[in-house]
Amino acid sequence: MSSVDTLVTEFTQRAEKVGAVVSMVKSMSEAFAYTVDLCERKDACQLLLSGCGLPLSDAAGEMCEARTQPKVVAAPALAGEEREALAAACEAKGMTLISDGMRKHLAGIDIGFTVAEYGIAETGTIVQNSNSEELRLATMVSENHVAVLPVSRIRATSYDVEREFVNMVDASPSYMAFITGPSRTADIERVLALGVHGPLELHILLLEGE
Amino acid sequence: MQKSTNLSEYRKSCQEALGDDFLREAMDKFATAYRANRVNAFADMHEKELIAEIAESKDAAIARLPELFEQFRAKAEAAGVKVHLARTAGEANEIIARIARDNGVKKIVKSKSMTAEETLLNHALEDEFEVVETDLGEWIIQLRHEGPSHMVMPAIHLSRHQVRDLFSEVTGQQQESDIQKLVKVARRELRRHYAEADMGISGANFAIAETGSIGLVTNEGNARLVTTLPRVHVALCGLDKLTPSIHDALRVLKALPRNATGQALTSYVTWITGANECATAEGGRKEMHVVFLDNGRSAMAEDPDFAQVLRCVRCGACANVCPVYRLVGGHKMGHIYIGAIGLILTYFFHGRDKARNLVQNCINCGACKEVCAAGIDLPRLIKEIHSRILDEDGHPTYSDLLGKLMKNRKLFHTLLRTAKLGQAPLKDGEGFLRHLPLMFFKEHNYRALPTIAEKPFRDMWKEIEPKLTGTKLRVGLFAGCVQDFVYPEQMAAAVKVMDHGKAHMDFPMEQSCCGLPLQMMGETAHAAEVAAQNVAALDPARYDYIVTLCASCASQLKHSYPRLLADDPAMSLKAKQFADKVIDFSSFVRDVLGIGADDFQNVAVTTKTAYHAPCHLCRGLGVVGTSQELISDSGLDYVKADEEDVCCGFGGTFSMKFPEESKELLNKKLDNVAKTGAKQLLTDCPGCVMQLRGGARRRGDDLQVRHIAEALAERLK
């Protein structure tokens, strides 16, 4: 196995171990197709956003009602042709693609779509530039976070990404994130529960080539 | 939170916790699962090297906190952040309240911060502002008006049913006990608070000087929302969180989650530099503040002994492995900070009134030190604080008296001989006391106590001293009180084994108690005097090795003596030489004398034999597996019991002060041994023998408990 293959294998194993779903894609358009397909499938038997079907206080319940239909995909960082391609794919399935205005969607959206900066194989982590507030919110209030990670950006350990990372952090202001699997808690009886405040699922699409 | 005003009240509150069946079961499950998870998490790492590196880099940072603070401040201010330094908890709370007032804040959301727990920030803000914790566990305990019972899992003491009832009350809707559903209810209920809040308060796991950034380690992701949605962000951060570089933070991150929860990394690590984009803030930029809390940290940083406390990364591992925490939970094993580090921090952050009882509830088993992510010498520092509190408060008459008695060897030994006469009417003919002498509580009756031997080892020595034949090594024997006066037969057996290995033994009569009981009671000065007597009695220049059969004595002689005598110009060098020569019986017999299978009768016996690894042997001296190999070599059928290396509950004076806890630990140990079907239990410490044999006797277990030397002596060719 080449060193790239080794990194991909380790990254995949580690990420899957913490509940991420990892797939290979050959192009961005394949990533878009994956995203739209996921969005279409996910609600088949779950019409309400996570928690909305449960007995809530009146105030929290109102927020659920504020949720807009149809399904929403947010991709704040996409621009130009790529954005148009995803928008078209969403539209074909009756979904809305948004790039901003996330504060109007705090009750939740279906999918947040991002491209990660780096991957760390040792822990199955993605390094996500989150300078944009829209992106930060899209990756938190979405039920599923879909992140594209170019294979060429996977490094073995956190130390191997340190030089680049220090530069990213040192540019002020900046807001960076290591994301390893979906949001989780074990605060009640140490029982694992996914999707506490952030996504219930994290999908990582490894993009082949450069 | 610990509010008992005296030890007996405290003991009573611990007893209540012992009676909480849910807590006990939850803690037992957690303790066993944690151990396994931790081992897996570090499986392909160089754990000890990593811990040593963290300790070293943290020490270097602690030595230059003021410089790091200035560096951080310059960087952060250049990035539009306002940096504050609060000398006290009250000052920090006031700074934060002022920021809220100045910004017209009504509602505040918080992500988890132990530093905010330390300053009781919620209490300070709640009258004026609406404050909502967003970490699930913190929210639960906030709603219940409780403090955390664990640093990482603050609501670990609660059951799903209690959470169901709480959430039913909060939502005005009947909830189910399904944990997945309860988590989703919290998700929906809390979401609106983020949306409505004007200010977010977070802690900081790192304040990185080279970039002026803060780093936050979370699993739920609430910190990302807390630091994104509200227009004001305040990070409250202990000065000890100042970290020179990103590299230093990445290094800590390799250990922190692994040690805390067995995760390779938490779901989120958030790195924030400067006033970030925020749509609802003026000018589209967040109003960001970092409030550093001193609260005694600067002074600690300059203390040669206690500076290492500031290495703590708040992983909570010291609680996770603590056998006492496992029994009584965090509300009893801490004031605000929990576990071994909590006992220490309580003294410095919350005062000796809060720490006085807590520091006595350490059994000194060393389990915490073994796993500490930053290599802090927790058990020693706890004892040291106990001693300081006694110095400040005045020593209780009984412990001072005992100190005075023990350093007068002749008087002490005479008293033991007299006690032997006094016990005559209490003896049952099998080496136990029939009932307890008057100084004991009835709660001490969980184990039968041994009688003092007819003839102490020191009186036997002349008769059994081996005739020298082809000797190779000069050995000084250190007996310790228990083996000298209670179990001399263990010493006699050891002499037989070592004679077989051709050791040239000497037993100087001037030796006395090792002094560990004095240290456990906080009588450091008396312990030092006893140490000096023993170093003089067993002059290291005369011996190749100083052998003891008592793991606790060995650990005291080896690790405490050089420290106790460091300031005594006449003794400090000898004490170090002495310590270098101290070795435990099993290691000496197997590794030095080379005693192995060939030395034992080649008839295998079928006696199923379990082993109890004394805390002070396996962790104190790092001797792991040696005794078990000897047992197998001797032809006995060795079976490994679960939790073989967990404390038996003796802990010397601990078992006198906290008999209920000692009993529970003992029962767990004996239950684990019973599961193996063993008929014999061996160990390397007379204290453990006393505890285990007395407990087995009271329970009526069909189990012979002995020192390993006794079993080996019997099996020699």
Side-chain angles (χ1 to χ4, degrees):
Chain A
M1 264 202 307
S2 73
S3 64
V4 175
D5 290 342
T6 314
L7 286 177
V8 167
T9 307
E10 186 178 3
F11 180 90
T12 305
Q13 280 171 356
R14 294 287 178 174
E16 286 176 345
K17 205 173 161 197
V18 291
V21 180
V22 184
S23 313
M24 296 294 288
V25 290
K26 290 196 169 60
S27 63
M28 282 301 270
S29 50
E30 205 177 302
F32 298 152
Y34 181 102
T35 305
V36 171
D37 181 52
L38 176 70
C39 191
E40 193 174 25
R41 274 189 293 120
K42 74 173 268 289
D43 260 4
C45 54
Q46 180 200 347
L47 290 168
L48 293 163
L49 276 178
S50 179
C52 276
L54 294 166
L56 301 174
S57 66
D58 294 344
E62 276 168 33
M63 203 172 182
C64 292
E65 285 154 23
R67 189 204 162 207
T68 52
Q69 296 290 343
K71 291 179 183 175
V72 175
V73 176
L78 281 192
E81 282 176 17
E82 285 185 339
R83 190 192 181 284
E84 278 166 34
L86 181 55
C90 285
E91 205 174 326
K93 298 284 183 183
M95 302 161 191
T96 308
L97 176 72
I98 59 171
S99 297
D100 48 26
M102 282 308 303
R103 280 183 185 258
K104 290 197 259 357
H105 292 276
L106 296 182
I109 60 164
D110 297 280
I111 293 190
F113 181 94
T114 65
V115 178
E117 301 289 333
Y118 291 96
I120 301 170
E122 184 184 38
T123 49
T125 301
I126 58 169
V127 179
Q128 180 72 58
N129 181 323
S130 309
N131 288 347
S132 140
E133 177 182 300
E134 298 289 356
L135 181 139
R136 251 177 276 155
L137 292 175
T139 53
M140 287 311 290
V141 305
S142 56
E143 303 214 332
N144 294 344
H145 175 192
V146 178
V148 173
L149 171 65
V151 164
S152 60
R153 292 291 190 113
I154 303 178
R155 305 282 182 266
T157 72
S158 59
Y159 290 163
D160 298 313
V161 78
E162 185 182 323
R163 199 162 45 89
E164 296 89 340
F165 187 65
V166 170
N167 291 333
M168 289 159 70
V169 171
D170 204 17
S172 76
S174 84
Y175 197 118
M176 294 294 147
F178 287 179
I179 301 177
T180 311
S183 161
R184 67 183 57 222
T185 190
D187 272 354
I188 306 177
E189 293 191 13
R190 291 178 43 254
V191 173
L192 176 66
L194 297 181
V196 202
H197 297 287
L200 284 74
E201 291 180 14
L202 172 65
H203 294 253
I204 301 171
L205 306 181
L206 300 179
L207 179 63
E208 292 172 45
E210 279 309 299
Chain B
M1 203 177 276
Q2 233 334 282
K3 289 179 180 148
S4 312
T5 53
N6 59 46
L7 191 63
S8 108
E9 247 178 54
Y10 176 58
R11 199 181 129 214
K12 210 168 283 169
S13 81
C14 290
Q15 270 169 263
E16 281 164 24
L18 281 173
D20 180 341
D21 291 341
F22 169 77
L23 182 71
R24 294 291 306 282
E25 200 191 321
M27 289 295 171
D28 274 347
K29 270 201 242 162
F30 173 47
T32 28
Y34 171 77
R35 281 162 76 99
N37 292 343
R38 186 180 185 279
V39 168
N40 288 338
F42 281 103
D44 35 16
M45 315 267 304
H46 298 290
E47 179 196 333
K48 295 292 170 203
E49 280 170 35
L50 176 62
I51 289 173
E53 281 176 27
I54 290 172
E56 194 186 341
S57 69
K58 290 288 278 185
D59 283 348
I62 293 161
R64 53 188 194 100
L65 284 184
E67 182 194 330
L68 292 175
F69 173 75
E70 287 309 329
Q71 192 187 354
F72 180 92
R73 174 152 68 184
K75 275 298 248 186
E77 285 181 351
V81 177
K82 298 185 181 74
V83 177
H84 311 257
L85 176 57
R87 279 171 306 163
T88 65
E91 219 174 278
N93 294 347
E94 193 38 52
I95 291 170
I96 295 170
R98 202 171 57 229
I99 295 168
R101 268 177 230 129
D102 291 350
N103 285 281
V105 166
K106 290 193 175 61
K107 185 178 221 166
I108 297 170
V109 280
K110 278 182 70 207
S111 65
K112 192 171 177 309
S113 157
M114 278 309 293
T115 314
E117 295 285 348
E118 173 187 335
T119 68
L120 297 173
L121 179 61
N122 289 359
H123 297 256
L125 296 177
E126 272 166 352
D127 285 345
E128 214 178 329
F129 311 97
E130 185 187 351
V131 184
V132 183
E133 293 283 356
T134 61
D135 172 84
L136 177 60
E138 286 285 327
W139 190 48
I140 291 170
I141 61 166
Q142 183 192 25
L143 292 170
R144 287 174 57 95
H145 308 291
E146 287 180 328
S149 66
H150 188 280
M151 293 206 288
V152 176
M153 288 161 289
I156 193 172
H157 59 292
L158 297 172
S159 74
R160 65 188 78 191
H161 310 296
Q162 286 167 296
V163 176
R164 173 202 60 201
D165 294 346
L166 181 71
F167 283 10
S168 298
E169 201 181 302
V170 168
T171 58
Q173 307 267 1
Q174 183 55 45
Q175 301 293 342
E176 297 170 46
S177 292
D178 179 323
I179 289 175
Q180 302 301 331
K181 286 186 179 171
L182 290 169
V183 170
K184 296 296 177 290
V185 167
R187 173 187 172 99
R188 298 311 308 181
E189 292 290 334
L190 286 165
R191 187 65 62 83
R192 75 185 169 93
H193 292 298
Y194 296 113
E196 292 165 5
D198 318 287
M199 180 161 136
I201 299 177
S202 72
N205 293 84
F206 309 108
I208 297 153
E210 71 171 343
T211 55
S213 321
I214 63 161
L216 292 162
V217 181
T218 78
N219 268 316
E220 298 183 3
N222 55 324
R224 293 189 95 213
L225 288 169
V226 161
T227 58
T228 296
L229 281 167
R231 57 194 158 84
V232 185
H233 171 206
V234 179
L236 174 63
C237 167
L239 275 177
D240 50 310
K241 295 292 176 285
L242 279 163
T243 307
S245 66
I246 294 274
H247 184 75
D248 293 303
L250 293 176
R251 183 193 294 115
V252 168
L253 276 178
K254 287 181 190 291
L256 169 57
R258 287 187 167 89
N259 224 31
T261 53
Q263 291 175 275
L265 195 55
T266 52
S267 296
Y268 298 96
V269 183
T270 303
W271 311 82
I272 303 172
T273 314
N276 268 273
E277 196 177 290
C278 179
T280 51
E282 214 175 299
R285 293 276 162 216
K286 173 102 53 185
E287 166 100 6
M288 185 178 173
H289 298 258
V290 177
V291 179
F292 282 97
L293 176 67
D294 190 323
N295 203 22
R297 288 167 171 84
S298 297
M300 280 171 91
E302 287 167 16
D303 185 286
D305 226 16
F306 283 97
Q308 61 170 301
V309 172
L310 299 176
R311 289 180 198 160
C312 174
V313 298
R314 309 282 189 261
C315 65
C318 56
N320 300 352
V321 297
C322 173
V324 179
Y325 173 84
R326 176 173 171 180
L327 289 179
V328 299
H331 285 155
K332 312 298 170 203
M333 195 60 180
H335 177 62
I336 285 173
Y337 289 101
I338 316 286
I341 192 74
L343 305 192
I344 297 168
L345 292 178
T346 298
Y347 173 74
F348 289 107
F349 294 161
H350 305 287
R352 72 170 181 274
D353 285 346
K354 303 283 191 293
R356 187 179 291 116
N357 301 314
L358 288 177
V359 292
Q360 301 183 57
N361 205 0
C362 163
I363 199 167
N364 193 31
C365 72
C368 49
K369 180 182 173 183
E370 184 87 351
V371 299
C372 176
I376 305 172
D377 193 353
L378 295 155
R380 180 176 71 77
L381 296 178
I382 292 169
K383 276 187 283 177
E384 181 60 34
I385 284 175
H386 185 198
S387 170
R388 287 188 186 198
I389 291 175
L390 290 182
D391 288 347
E392 291 163 15
D393 278 356
H395 292 238
T397 326
Y398 69 87
S399 89
D400 188 43
L401 259 180
L402 193 71
K404 287 185 174 132
L405 168 67
M406 280 195 167
K407 70 187 191 198
N408 184 339
R409 183 194 67 77
K410 279 190 182 149
L411 179 61
F412 177 49
H413 286 169
T414 308
L415 201 80
L416 285 170
R417 289 171 194 273
T418 316
K420 184 190 79 185
L421 302 175
Q423 74 188 0
L426 304 175
K427 284 165 74 172
D428 71 351
E430 290 174 56
F432 292 106
L433 293 173
R434 264 185 317 194
H435 53 80
L436 293 174
L438 290 176
M439 61 190 179
F440 292 87
F441 310 129
K442 69 173 186 324
E443 290 82 1
H444 287 121
N445 212 17
Y446 62 92
R447 64 172 182 225
L449 284 178
T451 54
I452 292 174
E454 274 306 308
K455 198 178 203 180
F457 180 71
R458 56 182 58 239
D459 294 356
M460 290 178 185
W461 175 244
K462 278 294 151 226
E463 299 158 29
I464 65 166
E465 184 178 2
K467 302 289 161 277
L468 307 180
T469 48
T471 54
K472 42 182 189 185
L473 292 165
R474 296 168 307 160
V475 174
L477 293 177
F478 183 83
C481 323
V482 179
Q483 274 163 337
D484 197 349
F485 285 89
V486 180
Y487 299 132
E489 66 276 14
Q490 297 177 1
M491 285 298 290
V495 168
K496 190 175 159 198
V497 177
M498 291 190 282
D499 184 41
H500 178 92
K502 300 200 184 325
H504 173 183
M505 287 167 277
D506 179 27
F507 182 83
M509 294 294 161
E510 294 306 307
Q511 62 182 281
S512 185
C513 170
C514 69
L516 178 62
L518 293 172
Q519 251 186 302
M520 284 290 285
M521 289 197 299
E523 298 292 340
T524 313
H526 292 314
E529 290 183 58
V530 172
Q533 287 174 26
N534 283 325
V535 173
L538 283 104
D539 183 344
R542 293 210 308 266
Y543 306 114
D544 296 302
Y545 290 92
I546 295 166
V547 176
T548 175
L549 278 70
C550 174
S552 299
C553 295
S555 164
Q556 175 75 0
L557 305 179
K558 208 169 181 64
H559 298 140
S560 296
Y561 277 21
R563 204 174 287 116
L564 283 169
L565 299 173
D567 298 331
D568 180 344
M571 295 304 289
S572 64
L573 177 59
K574 281 276 182 200
K576 278 188 212 132
Q577 293 175 325
F578 178 93
D580 285 346
K581 291 185 174 176
V582 170
I583 189 169
D584 65 285
F585 169 76
S586 284
S587 300
F588 180 69
V589 163
R590 189 166 190 282
D591 302 340
V592 181
L593 297 181
I595 288 180
D598 293 345
D599 295 284
F600 298 103
Q601 300 160 35
N602 50 17
V603 193
V605 278
T606 50
T607 313
K608 263 196 180 175
T609 301
Y611 179 70
H612 163 62
C615 301
H616 293 147
L617 186 73
C618 64
R619 285 177 293 276
L621 299 178
V623 178
V624 176
T626 307
S627 311
Q628 293 91 324
E629 285 167 21
L630 268 172
I631 294 171
S632 296
D633 282 353
S634 77
L636 291 165
D637 179 14
Y638 163 67
V639 282
K640 187 176 194 298
D642 286 345
E643 306 196 334
E644 190 182 58
D645 61 352
V646 173
C647 183
C648 67
F650 180 60
T653 50
F654 177 91
S655 64
M656 297 295 293
K657 280 184 184 166
F658 298 98
E660 295 86 1
E661 293 173 17
S662 174
K663 176 186 176 182
E664 289 305 320
L665 294 173
L666 172 60
N667 277 333
K668 260 192 200 32
K669 174 61 63 174
L670 290 172
D671 287 345
N672 281 328
V673 172
K675 271 194 290 181
T676 65
K679 295 286 171 241
Q680 175 168 245
L681 174 61
L682 300 179
T683 187
D684 273 88
C685 178
C688 303
V689 169
M690 189 190 292
Q691 171 88 342
L692 295 164
R693 188 185 285 174
R697 163 86 173 195
R698 269 291 172 268
R699 288 161 46 117
D701 290 358
D702 176 19
L703 182 70
Q704 188 181 28
V705 182
R706 296 200 289 176
H707 194 282
I708 187 171
E710 297 173 273
L712 297 183
E714 248 173 40
R715 305 278 312 142
L716 284 173
K717 263 181 188 162

